[in-house]
């Protein structure tokens, strides 16, 4: 029994090649689905979900040991960190989080961060996602200069929120990037924010929705259903929610007690080395089934498994 | 699909005789559609109309019971394709395949581990459901393994064999457990359907495509076997998603009764991570029973947690009893943290307070299961409500200080809360993750 969908998810291009005025080795396309996840017998699945490796500008202090271990040699050198992801783990997309700009975590200046973005673009040639530190006032100073430093590289930059989208929208528009629009597990706010941003002149095919997920066991089902609802609306023709989704799987999964707690603390949960990876991989799995397009993840082993899973599902 | 009031009206006599107790046939039809009246109330209904109405009143996906007593598993009776439309009703059963080629001690060891796979999350007990014995060699070994499993676990059973004689002998040994028989195919149907009838056990119907599966269940039905579970055989994960979706759609949207049964997915992947991800996919996408081989706690815990998430009623969030909870050896000097009675919020706060290793009290306010911000916006998490909770818990007698820690997101209520409660308010962190460092620096 085939459903007749009338709409489809918009296609976002991340990264620009030399021919397009950038310096990335390839463009990553996300979106373009004309049916629900992996029902290729019913509609076109133009692009597959992609995984981005999360890289920080400072050494994260709250990553559990089992996760931090994977990057121990590069933890305080973002350039080497990004390079390791690309060379050793074959990352096709890097997500740089400028946590060090936060007033409480180092308070790096906008110029320092812009310089880092410029250097990172020289160090690796994969497309880039740039995230602020989460402090609105500071992000509004930092992100515009970072957008400038990455001019014409067609990055994905975030996040814009309902009460703070103008500064970022202007910067993203001026320098030819895409924007992440964040809404707190609320489809109406997601819709509203997309309209506000497109009213600023940034077209809907430059917007990616961050539905703010919870990890497996920590509110996953809320984002799961919001994403299903938004995707159904998109397939029914509502262009204002027909944007790809970005899900911060690593950030949420590694906060979960089940991913962090030692086997000593919870003997009946099994070794934490496997548990953390499973928690991140299963969180990603469920969200991919709800329609996730970009998954920002952390553990190389979880990423490897998720990439293989996606490839299997896109076969044939 | 169930009939609408108007569909039903067309089948009624339209005489407005009032013998059903309602003023018009249309009013009666509307009551029937809401399932607020019984069709027996109409004495003039034609036999055909009655049959049509009775059929439409049947659940589009049949409820099937496997096992008995405490470990009974009920699956099916699903009514929607997406959980936000209503909810998913009967949590998918999770089971483990044990092959009869394993030695006795290995089987026992495995069962011992499986029996221990019980976890607690947000106040609920998460349990596994089934053990499936699979024949790989001769019949005797299969019977022996089946008995071993029967004697060493209380969980529901699945008997997996291609040899009907082996199934029969195993059924004789374990019939009282009401196992699921795997399986009837177009080839062995005549014999296996008799076993299902003789032993009164549910039966898996396997066919390689949905049309064949549909004819198989019709055939089984005509032989009097109606307790069925659907299986489309060993296919790729992508095909599993397709088939499971098609079965659910055809049962619900096309009222296809031949596919109106719960589904079974068997995961065959030796890599524990991949096995978990495939099983997780089937749990999310309409499988009613999932069989895996891996028994590692981390794998099983993640799958049971996903099942809990997916099958939670979206309209009724999990709640805990609103009251004062001591954490660790809390005493009269211990800090008091205020939060809501939404399970997820409470248990997240609890986890962080435990992690801080600082004995504390958590007072959970009755917000009808709403989180901090939602509860605040909906006026369920207000200075009045918090004051009520403090008084009800007799907090002033429990601690010797008068300080409350409230979530950072509701800092704006501080002044009002101080006025209403007479307690001094300290604004805590916005996110629970900030609690340990907050408590240490208090």
């Amino acid at each position: 029994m085939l459903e007749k969908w009338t709409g489809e998810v918009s296609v976002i291009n991340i990264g620009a090649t030399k021919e397009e005025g950038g310096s990335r080795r390839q463009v990553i396309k996300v979106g373009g689905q004309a049916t629900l996840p992996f029902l290729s017998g019913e509609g076109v699945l133009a692009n597959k979900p992609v995984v981005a490796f999360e890289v920080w500008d400072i050494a994260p202090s709250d990553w559990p040991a089992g996760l931090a271990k994977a990057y121990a040699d590069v933890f305080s050198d973002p350039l080497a960190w990004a390079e390791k992801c690309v060379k050793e783990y074959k990352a096709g997309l890097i997500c740089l989080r400028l946590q060090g700009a936060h007033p409480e975590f180092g308070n790096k200046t906008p110029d320092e961060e812009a310089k880092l973005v410029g250097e990172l673009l020289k160090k690796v040639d994969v497309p880039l996602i740039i995230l602020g530190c989460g402090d609105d006032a500071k992000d509004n100073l930092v992100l515009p200069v970072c957008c400038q430093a990455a001019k014409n590289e067609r990055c994905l930059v975030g996040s814009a929120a309902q009460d703070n989208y103008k500064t970022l929208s202007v910067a993203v528009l001026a320098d030819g990037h895409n924007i992440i629009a964040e809404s707190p597990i609320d489809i109406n706010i997601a819709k509203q924010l997309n309209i506000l941003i497109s009213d600023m002149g940034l077209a809907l095919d430059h917007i990616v929705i961050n539905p703010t997920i919870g990890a497996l066991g920590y509110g996953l089902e809320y984002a799961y259903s919001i994403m299903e609802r938004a995707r159904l609306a998109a397939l029914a023709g509502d262009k204002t929610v027909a944007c790809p989704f970005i899900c911060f799987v690593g950030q949420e999964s590694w906060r979960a007690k089940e991913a962090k707690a030692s086997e000593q603390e919870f003997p009946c949960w099994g070794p934490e080395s496997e548990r953390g990876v499973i928690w991140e991989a299963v969180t990603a799995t469920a969200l991919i089934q709800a329609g996730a397009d970009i998954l920002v993840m952390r553990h190389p082993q979880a990423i490897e498994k998720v990439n293989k899973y996606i490839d299997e599902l896109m076969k044939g | 699909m169930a009939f609408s009031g108007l569909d039903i009206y067309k089948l009624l006599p339209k005489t407005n005789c009032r013998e059903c107790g309602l003023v018009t046939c249309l009013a009666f039809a509307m009551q029937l559609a809401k399932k607020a009246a019984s069709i027996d109330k109409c004495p003039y209904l034609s036999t055909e109309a009655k049959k049509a109405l009775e059929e439409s009143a049947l659940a589009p996906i049949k409820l099937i019971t496997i096992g008995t007593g405490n470990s009974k598993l009920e699956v099916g009776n699903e009514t929607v394709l997406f959980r936000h439309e209503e909810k998913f009703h009967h949590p998918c059963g999770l089971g483990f395949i044990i092959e009869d080629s394993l030695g006795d001690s290995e089987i026992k060891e495995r069962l011992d581990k499986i029996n221990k796979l019980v976890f607690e999350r947000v106040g609920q007990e998460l349990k596994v459901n089934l053990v499936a014995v699979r024949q790989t060699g001769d019949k005797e070994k299969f019977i022996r393994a089946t008995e071993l499993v029967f004697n060493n676990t209380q969980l529901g059973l699945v008997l997996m064999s291609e040899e009907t004689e082996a199934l029969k002998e195993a059924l004789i040994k374990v019939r009282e457990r009401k196992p699921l028989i795997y399986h009837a195919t177009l080839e062995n149907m005549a014999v296996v359907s008799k076993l299902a009838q003789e032993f009164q056990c549910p039966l898996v119907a396997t066919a390689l495509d949905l049309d064949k599966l549909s004819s198989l269940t019709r055939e089984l039905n005509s032989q009097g076997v109606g307790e069925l579970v659907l299986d489309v055989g060993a296919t790729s994960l992508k095909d599993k998603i397709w088939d499971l979706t098609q079965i659910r759609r055809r049962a619900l949207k096309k009222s296809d009764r031949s596919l109106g049964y719960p589904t079974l997915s068997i995961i065959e992947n030796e890599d524990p991570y991949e096995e978990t991800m495939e099983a997780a996919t089937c749990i999310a996408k309409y499988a009613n029973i999932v069989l895996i081989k891996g028994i590692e706690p981390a794998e099983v815990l993640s799958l049971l947690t996903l099942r809990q998430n997916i099958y939670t009623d979206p309209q009724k969030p999990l709640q805990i009893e609103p009251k004062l909870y001591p954490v660790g050896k809390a005493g009269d000097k211990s800090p008091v943290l205020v939060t809501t009675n939404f399970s997820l919020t409470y248990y997240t706060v609890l986890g962080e307070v435990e992690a801080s290793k600082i004995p504390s009290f958590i007072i959970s306010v009755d917000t009808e299961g709403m989180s901090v911000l939602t509860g605040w916006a909906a006026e369920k998490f207000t200075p009045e409500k918090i004051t009520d909770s403090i008084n009800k818990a007799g907090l002033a007698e429990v601690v010797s200080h008068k300080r409350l820690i409230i979530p950072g997101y509701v800092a704006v209520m501080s002044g009002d809360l101080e006025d209403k409660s007479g307690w001094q308010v300290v604004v805590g962190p916005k996110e629970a993750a900030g609690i340990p460092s907050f408590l240490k620096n208090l």
Side-chain angles (χ1 to χ4, degrees), chain A residues 40-85:
Chain A
S40 58
E42 181 167 271
V44 177
L45 300 170
N47 300 292
K48 63 177 191 179
V50 295
V51 178
F53 278 72
E54 191 171 331
V55 171
W56 285 31
D57 64 336
I58 51 167
S61 57
D62 61 346
W63 288 24
L67 171 61
K69 204 170 61 187
Y71 303 103
D73 50 335
V74 292
F75 224 33
S76 43
D77 180 351
L79 298 179
W81 185 347
E83 191 175 37
K84 184 186 175 87
C85 292

Side-chain angles (χ1 to χ4, degrees), chain B residues 63-165:
Chain B
L63 188 71
I64 301 293
T65 305
I66 300 157
T68 55
N70 278 341
S71 57
K72 181 172 77 176
L73 172 68
E74 288 184 323
V75 286
N77 230 349
E78 299 300 335
T79 51
V80 289
L81 275 152
F82 302 99
R83 54 187 296 283
H84 66 260
E85 295 174 322
E86 186 187 343
K87 66 171 178 174
F88 291 163
H89 295 265
H90 290 91
C92 153
L94 184 65
F96 304 93
I97 298 173
I98 292 186
E99 289 183 344
D100 62 3
S101 54
L102 296 177
D104 288 7
S105 60
E106 212 174 335
I107 293 182
K108 275 192 189 159
E109 204 178 298
R110 232 168 236 238
L111 289 168
D112 193 38
K113 285 185 183 160
I114 291 171
N115 288 333
K116 288 192 183 121
L117 292 172
V118 180
F119 306 92
E120 204 192 301
R121 283 202 91 258
V122 290
Q124 283 193 334
E125 195 173 61
L126 305 183
K127 291 194 284 195
V128 300
N129 311 97
L130 300 165
V131 176
V133 192
R134 179 150 73 185
Q135 186 179 6
T136 58
D138 60 40
K139 191 174 72 181
E140 279 62 42
K141 245 184 154 174
F142 176 66
I143 309 297
R144 190 180 162 76
T146 303
E147 281 187 284
L148 208 53
V149 170
F150 178 76
N151 290 326
N152 286 283
T153 184
Q154 292 301 311
L155 295 170
L157 302 180
V158 187
L159 304 177
M160 303 179 79
S161 164
E162 303 298 326
E163 205 182 318
T164 50
E165 197 48 40

